[in-house]
């Protein structure tokens, strides 16, 4: 149940009809359901009941401040990968003590911002980063709380662009070097080792790679404790997959049980970083058909959203289920169509040979499961201004990020002196 259901023949977000929203805010736009965000967060948190755990929402999946705040109110922390996300998390009211900060390339300024915010821990991904953090913290008379992110060399079995736990990936500290780097970290004046972290990939539909990774991590924690390190936080990253195509996907409860079984007796504060699992099905992208175009061999639905608004199909060949806003009659005509955006690239295709009802220009179409890695990855290619995000709660709704105008984009640019002249060329 994701709170995007047909009622009286129209697709609703909770109690709000999506065609009403489309009239009010224009298309395309993202729409999020508060009830789904809360339900998913609660289901995940409940899976860890009885275990000492911090559920730190992976802000990268959807960093709208209203979304972060919705989750923060239910007890979520924040898992960050940039100083910008730190600003958002703080703006949303997430306390520093519930924030963890990962990323292979944190800058000096970002490390300082993390120290200023007194975050729970830095997930440090290399020795040079460790040294820089130590230097900065020591100069301020502080010790930075650090978990080293190790790379367990486990294949998550997911798309190669979102697998992170293999030794050829850029993430984490190489497995075999971990023990030595922990030993050297102990001698750094600005570092306080508090734990260990791992993240093997995203959209895992099978729990086995997690089991493999967590068992390896478990052995490492035992070894590091024998070496005298006080490993008291264990950050297991995110990665739980969701059913984009309606197929089976792991239940949070099964994941919680797996965590308990593999690392539960280590008596660590567990940090979990779910992103997609919470936000994915809580969001849709609503778009309008511009043209129905008959090609030589295919019918195209040309819609007003494009790859710049939702990059996942272009980037990962990702599947997003599509449904019309007006419920089609059960015995209505179905066509096989390609759904494409207006951008001048063949890759600007949301779906090929999809069975959809016969639709006409002006009709509204919804791409489902677009709440994670949708708006956050959008850009302004082809000078297409960013689209709005709308948050629904019951029968209330609010634009939580406004639509950009072309003027907003142009205002960022300026002409150098040598090009300032007439407005038009002769
Ligand atoms: N923690 C870390 C350190 C991460 O790198 C990620 C995601 C997460 C947590 C959250 O993972 P999740 O629970 O959402 O799977 N743009 C891609 C996904 C990239 C994921 C990157 N890391 C996509 O649209 O599929």
């Amino acid at each position: 149940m994701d709170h995007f259901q047909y009622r009286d023949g129209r697709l609703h977000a909770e109690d709000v009809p999506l065609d009403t929203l489309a009239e009010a805010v224009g298309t395309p736009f993202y729409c999020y359901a508060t009830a789904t965000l809360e339900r998913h967060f609660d289901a995940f948190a409940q899976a860890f009941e009885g275990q000492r755990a911090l559920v730190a929402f992976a802000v990268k999946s959807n960093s709208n401040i209203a979304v972060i705040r919705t989750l923060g109110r239910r007890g979520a922390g924040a898992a960050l990968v940039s100083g910008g996300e730190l600003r958002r998390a703080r703006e949303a009211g997430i306390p520093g003590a519930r924030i963890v900060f990962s990323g292979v390339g944190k800058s000096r300024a970002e490390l300082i911002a993390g120290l200023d915010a007194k975050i729970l821990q830095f997930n440090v991904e290399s020795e040079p980063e460790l040294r820089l953090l130590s230097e900065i913290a020591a100069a301020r008379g502080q010790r930075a709380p650090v978990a080293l992110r190790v790379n367990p060399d486990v294949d998550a079995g997911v798309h190669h662009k979102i697998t992170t736990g293999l030794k050829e990936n850029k993430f984490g500290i190489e497995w075999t070097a971990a023990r030595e780097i922990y030993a050297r970290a102990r001698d750094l004046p600005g570092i306080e080792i508090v734990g260990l972290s791992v993240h093997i990939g995203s959209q895992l539909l099978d729990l086995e790679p997690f089991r493999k990774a967590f068992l390896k991590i478990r052995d490492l924690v035992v070894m590091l404790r024998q070496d005298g390190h006080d490993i008291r936080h264990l950050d297991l990253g995110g990665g739980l997959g969701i059913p984009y195509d309606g197929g089976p996907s792991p239940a949070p409860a099964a994941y919680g049980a797996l965590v308990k079984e593999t690392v539960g007796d280590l008596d660590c504060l567990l940090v979990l970083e779910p992103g997609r699992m919470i936000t994915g099905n809580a969001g849709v992208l609503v778009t309008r058909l511009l043209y129905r175009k008959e090609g030589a061999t295919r019918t195209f639905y040309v819609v007003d959203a494009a790859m710049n608004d939702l990059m996942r199909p272009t980037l990962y060949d990702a599947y997003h289920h599509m449904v019309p806003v007006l419920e089609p009659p059960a015995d209505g005509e179905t066509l096989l169509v390609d759904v494409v955006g207006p951008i001048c690239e063949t890759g600007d295709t949301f779906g090929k040979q999809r069975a959809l009802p016969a639709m006409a220009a002006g009709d509204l179409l919804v791409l489902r499961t677009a709440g994670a890695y949708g708006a956050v990855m959008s850009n302004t290619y082809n000078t297409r201004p960013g689209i709005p995000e709308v948050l629904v709660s019951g029968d209330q709704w609010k634009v939580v990020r406004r639509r950009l105008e072309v003027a907003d984009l142009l205002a960022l640019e300026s002409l150098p002196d040598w090009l300032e002249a007439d407005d038009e060329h002769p």
Side-chain angles (χ1 to χ4, degrees), residues 1 14-15 19 68 106 147 150 155 177-178 186 203 208 210 226 241 260 273 286 297 305 326-327 399:
M1 186 29 196
E14 301 193 33
D15 300 332
D19 51 340
I68 306 173
K106 300 180 204 76
V150 294
D155 188 356
R186 190 173 17 209
Q203 185 53 15
E208 276 317 298
F210 286 125
Q226 280 164 5
K260 190 169 185 182
E273 304 184 4
V286 182
T297 58
L326 293 187
E327 190 171 17
V399 174

Side-chain angles (χ1 to χ4, degrees), residues 65 69 85-94:
I65 298 169
R69 189 182 279 252
E85 288 187 352
L86 176 57
R87 284 272 294 275
R88 287 177 176 279
R90 299 294 289 138
E91 195 81 15
I94 308 288

Side-chain angles (χ1 to χ4, degrees), residues 149 151 154 156 158 162-166 169-172 199-202:
R149 175 170 171 184
N151 184 329
V154 166
V158 294
I162 52 174
T163 196
T164 50
L166 287 173
N169 298 140
K170 68 180 176 182
F171 299 97
H199 171 79
I200 59 171
S202 196

Side-chain angles (χ1 to χ4, degrees), residues 58 60-61 79 81 102-103 125 149 161-162 164 171 199 201-203 237-240 244 273-277 312 315-316 372-373 377:
K60 61 163 62 162
S61 74
V81 290
S102 305
E125 305 218 12
R149 175 170 171 184
K161 284 187 185 160
I162 52 174
T164 50
F171 299 97
H199 171 79
S202 196
Q203 185 53 15
L240 215 56
Y244 281 93
E273 304 184 4
R276 186 190 321 258
M277 191 267 145
R312 302 194 68 259
L315 208 50
Y316 317 115
Y373 306 108
M377 290 176 70

Side-chain angles (χ1 to χ4, degrees), residues 141 212 394:
K212 256 192 197 162

